[in-house]
Amino acid sequence: MSLDLQQYHDQIQALRPMDDVFFEVLIQQPGVCEEMLRVLLDCPDLIVLDIHAQHSIASVIF
């Protein structure tokens, strides 16, 4: 299914920061990650040095 530009725009506009796909993109930005952690941890001097995206670890048992 192909989306036209308006449909694509509408879907993006409907996203909220709590939506997984949007949050995953937001949190990869050092400034956003740093500010969110500062607020949540009540630590205004916190500095984010490195960001590692969430990884899925799959194990296969034969």
Side-chain angles (χ1 to χ4, degrees):
M1 174 181 212
S2 177
L3 297 176
D4 67 25
L5 188 57
Q6 184 60 45
Q7 289 172 320
Y8 186 69
H9 182 265
D10 292 345
Q11 284 189 350
I12 291 172
Q13 287 292 109
L15 290 174
R16 301 166 302 142
M18 294 301 292
D19 294 328
D20 285 343
V21 73
F22 193 38
F23 186 77
E24 184 178 332
V25 173
L26 279 177
I27 206 67
Q28 291 178 19
Q29 304 302 313
V32 174
C33 183
E34 191 171 87
E35 184 62 22
M36 187 173 296
L37 289 171
R38 285 177 177 175
V39 170
L40 291 172
L41 300 174
D42 192 25
C43 184
D45 298 328
L46 183 136
I47 297 172
V48 171
L49 299 176
D50 200 11
I51 298 171
H52 294 271
Q54 179 177 327
H55 302 292
S56 294
I57 299 174
S59 60
V60 179
I61 300 174
F62 290 100

